[in-house]
Amino acid sequence: MEAAAPGTRGAVTAAGRRATIKDVAEAADVSRSTASRALTGRGYVAPAVRERVRRAAQTLGYVPDAMARNLRQQVSRSIGVLVSDLRNSFYADLASGVSAQSRRRGYAMMLADDAGSVEAELEAAETFVALRVAGVILTPLSAEVTEYLGRHRIPVIEVDRQFAEGACDAVVVDNKAAAERVTTGLLQQGHRRVALLIDEMDWTTGRDRLVGYRSAFLAAGLPLDDALVVRGGWDVGAATGVARDLLGGPDRPTAVFAANNVLAEGVWRAAQALGLRVPDDLSLVSFDDAPWMTMVTPGVTAVAQDAVALGEAAVGQMFERIESPDSPKRTVMLSAAIAQRGSTAAPPAA
């Protein structure tokens, strides 16, 4: 047995045995209930006694048993976060915003990546239920996961895209307005063959960006060639291949609006491989900013969603729901800035 620290009564736990609340209480010469109140902050404890208990806990290396506490309280001080692809800087930044805001409120973040799989998404949701998380913030792949969590009475905040509009809270960006704005910018520069490279058109993100793109042509009174709306795949490799086909023909577009940062990288790589100069031969804009876009020459003009702010807003929305479980469901819509760089110019002369 190790010697007890000065000012404490009783022995420190034997090597290899985890200290318990009983050990802390004995070392501080208080009851277990007093020790618990002092460490959790629930209930009154005299300041001098609270300090003595905390010193004893620190000396013993006491760590609360989170699982036992969760069983008693029916919910943990943790938030589940489920995103689609942590290799994408957007999702990593989103998780960073959730993590920072959760810590400020004394909650831990439990992070899962579904890799774009609905099955993996549901498995992660089941794990969150088993761990009794206080709520879940997710970028959904379907309505099923939100419905499942709702059946277990777990607050859900859909972020970036919505599958359960009106059925749960959400924090999203005004995709339509931002897409219309960047497309309008290309049309005002004189481009008429503006391609939209997009990964999906069924989720609210893709659907709204497509609507914004089309709205820009409608507002300008210009015809829209639907053949220029092209699906670009889910990763850089697939996007590069599709972009090479799009840009390699004789009637190629003079500008491309890439509906996310992964697709934009594919367009950039394809243009380089084909010997096309940006913006002299091809203008490029992206929805979603990414670090690489400021590291190339010229820099890429992009819709700069603040993913960190999205995550922070989602945590705020989560705690509003926890505090007022019966209040009407609410969707918070954030605006997005346009980071103007050097990747667009008037189209080349015919």
Side-chain angles (χ1 to χ4, degrees), residues 64-312:
D65 188 334
M67 187 61 70
R69 183 178 62 198
N70 294 349
L71 290 172
R72 289 193 301 272
Q73 298 176 357
Q74 299 302 308
V75 67
S76 71
R77 291 184 67 83
S78 60
I79 293 174
V81 178
L82 181 55
V83 298
S84 296
D85 186 357
L86 284 169
R87 295 171 301 177
N88 187 326
S89 60
F90 173 82
Y91 295 113
D93 288 346
L94 175 66
S96 175
V98 174
S99 177
Q101 195 62 236
S102 298
R103 282 198 309 273
R104 294 189 189 104
R105 296 172 180 264
Y107 278 66
M109 178 182 77
M110 308 183 75
L111 179 62
D113 181 344
D114 58 40
S117 164
V118 173
E119 183 178 356
E121 181 181 56
L122 286 169
E123 289 174 356
E126 289 170 356
T127 300
F128 289 152
V129 170
L131 292 172
R132 301 170 185 263
V133 297
V136 174
I137 293 170
L138 56 81
T139 56
L141 299 174
S142 71
E144 192 174 356
V145 65
T146 301
E147 293 168 358
Y148 170 80
L149 291 166
R151 289 198 297 272
H152 288 274
R153 299 185 179 278
I154 294 179
V156 177
I157 309 296
E158 294 187 331
V159 183
D160 181 50
R161 51 185 177 258
Q162 291 178 274
F163 278 91
E165 294 177 72
C168 78
D169 299 300
V171 180
V172 298
V173 163
D174 192 343
N175 290 282
K176 176 183 177 296
E180 184 172 358
R181 185 176 166 191
V182 293
T183 305
T184 297
L186 292 170
L187 296 177
Q188 288 175 343
Q189 287 181 317
H191 293 278
R192 295 297 177 264
R193 290 190 57 75
V194 179
L196 173 65
L197 191 64
I198 194 165
D199 52 355
E200 53 77 28
M201 291 177 275
D202 301 317
W203 300 349
T204 52
T205 42
R207 188 169 67 238
D208 289 351
R209 291 170 196 180
L210 174 61
V211 169
Y213 165 81
R214 286 176 169 162
S215 295
F217 279 86
L218 181 64
L222 295 171
L224 175 63
D225 183 356
D226 284 332
L228 290 175
V229 177
V230 180
R231 288 185 181 268
W234 295 96
D235 56 43
V236 173
T240 302
V242 172
R244 286 192 66 149
D245 291 340
L246 177 66
L247 301 176
D251 196 25
R252 62 175 176 79
T254 60
V256 176
F257 171 26
N260 64 42
N261 60 332
V262 172
L263 298 173
E265 184 175 344
V267 175
W268 182 273
R269 291 177 181 273
Q272 298 296 303
L274 293 169
L276 297 176
R277 298 165 299 166
V278 176
D280 297 342
D281 302 315
L282 177 74
S283 288
L284 172 64
V285 296
S286 169
F287 205 113
D288 291 342
D289 204 358
W292 70 266
M293 295 181 186
T294 61
M295 299 169 65
V296 296
T297 302
V300 178
T301 293
V303 176
Q305 296 189 82
D306 190 339
V308 173
L310 273 172
E312 292 176 340

